[in-house]
């Protein structure tokens, strides 16, 4: 090949950056951009997927996926940034900073793999303010945010938010209290409530329980993340207090890289069913 020849990788790189420039006119996306943004395919994982994360990341890389976070999605909705051509939102649930938590090493290993593969991703934190915390864990989580990792709240006590016995005060502790603690301990600007068990919204309509929505507004959160539904494109003309519901999917029946790719490929059509052996 001569000096003027470009290979396929260079061509894709060039067209990718050209598309991004075209998508960002002066004044942001909204002046001439799309009226809505598709919900990126969103993968829900837990610590038990630690053995399967590396093949998943390798498969996602091979397919051209790029990891994004809820903060990235929010910036896209606000017209402040574009999204990559094939975005994927990876969330890993149930990290807890309680002292002696046996699973933290598993989450840390998964974080290392994400960084190794260059994937931005999200850990959903259950803050458990009622038990002693491990300051070293909080310090590590704060450091992770420098590596493209974001932390979102998975409530204070991993409660079923559909429980009608929860008072407004309970909801405030679960949502605003947990988000505030993560912000205080890590400096991460928490943007999302990841619903335990996916409960807290109408599975059929995707409507957020009004009390949870109000608690999220008070907490300054933009997204409520469930499992079912939440695949319809999001409007870009959002108000400052609007809270948006988005769904996720587990890595399929096989619960591995093959299942994850299959579910992400069918994201738009996968609608309302639950996937995976445990949820949320
Ligand atoms: Zn959970």
């Amino acid at each position: 090949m001569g000096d003027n020849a470009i290979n396929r990788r260079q061509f894709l790189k060039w067209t990718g950056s050209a598309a991004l420039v075209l998508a960002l006119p002066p004044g942001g996306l909204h002046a001439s951009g799309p009226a809505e943004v598709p919900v990126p395919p969103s993968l829900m994982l837990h610590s038990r997927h630690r053995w399967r994360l590396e093949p998943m990341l390798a498969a996602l890389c091979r397919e051209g996926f790029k990891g994004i976070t809820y903060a990235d999605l929010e910036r896209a909705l606000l017209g402040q940034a574009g999204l990559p051509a094939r975005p994927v939102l990876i969330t890993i649930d149930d990290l807890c900073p309680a002292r002696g938590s046996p699973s933290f090493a598993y989450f840390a290993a998964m974080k290392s793999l994400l960084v190794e593969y260059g994937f931005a991703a999200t850990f959903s934190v259950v803050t458990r303010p009622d038990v002693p915390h491990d300051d070293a864990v909080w310090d590590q989580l704060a450091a992770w945010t420098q590596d493209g990792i974001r932390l979102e709240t998975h409530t204070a006590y991993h409660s079923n938010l559909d429980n009608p016995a929860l008072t407004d005060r309970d909801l405030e502790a679960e949502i605003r209290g947990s988000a505030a603690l993560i912000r205080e301990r890590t400096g991460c600007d928490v943007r999302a409530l990841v619903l335990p068990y996916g409960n807290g919204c109408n599975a059929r309509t995707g409507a957020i329980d009004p009390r949870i929505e109000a608690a999220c507004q008070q907490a300054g959160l933009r997204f409520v993340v469930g499992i079912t539904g939440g695949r319809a494109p999001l409007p870009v003309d959002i108000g400052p207090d609007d809270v948006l519901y988005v769904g996720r999917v587990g890595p399929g029946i096989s619960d591995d890289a093959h299942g994850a790719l299959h579910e992400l490929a069918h994201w738009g059509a996968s609608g309302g069913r639950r996937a995976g052996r445990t949820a949320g």
Side-chain angles (χ1 to χ4, degrees), residues 194-205:
V194 179
L195 295 169
Y197 319 106
N199 288 343
C201 66
N202 183 314
R204 192 174 50 78
T205 65

Side-chain angles (χ1 to χ4, degrees), residues 44 46 93-95 124 126 154 158 194-198 248 279-280:
M44 172 181 65
H46 293 83
D93 285 7
D94 301 338
L95 192 159
S124 318
V126 180
H154 197 34
H158 206 277
V194 179
L195 295 169
Y197 319 106
R248 295 183 293 168

Side-chain angles (χ1 to χ4, degrees), residues 221-258:
L221 299 177
R222 175 67 76 189
F223 299 104
V224 170
V225 181
I227 302 168
T228 55
R231 277 114 169 108
L234 299 168
V236 297
D237 57 342
I238 48 174
D241 292 338
D242 286 352
V243 178
L244 308 170
Y245 176 77
V246 292
R248 295 183 293 168
V249 70
I253 302 293
S254 59
D255 207 33
D256 61 5
H258 178 79

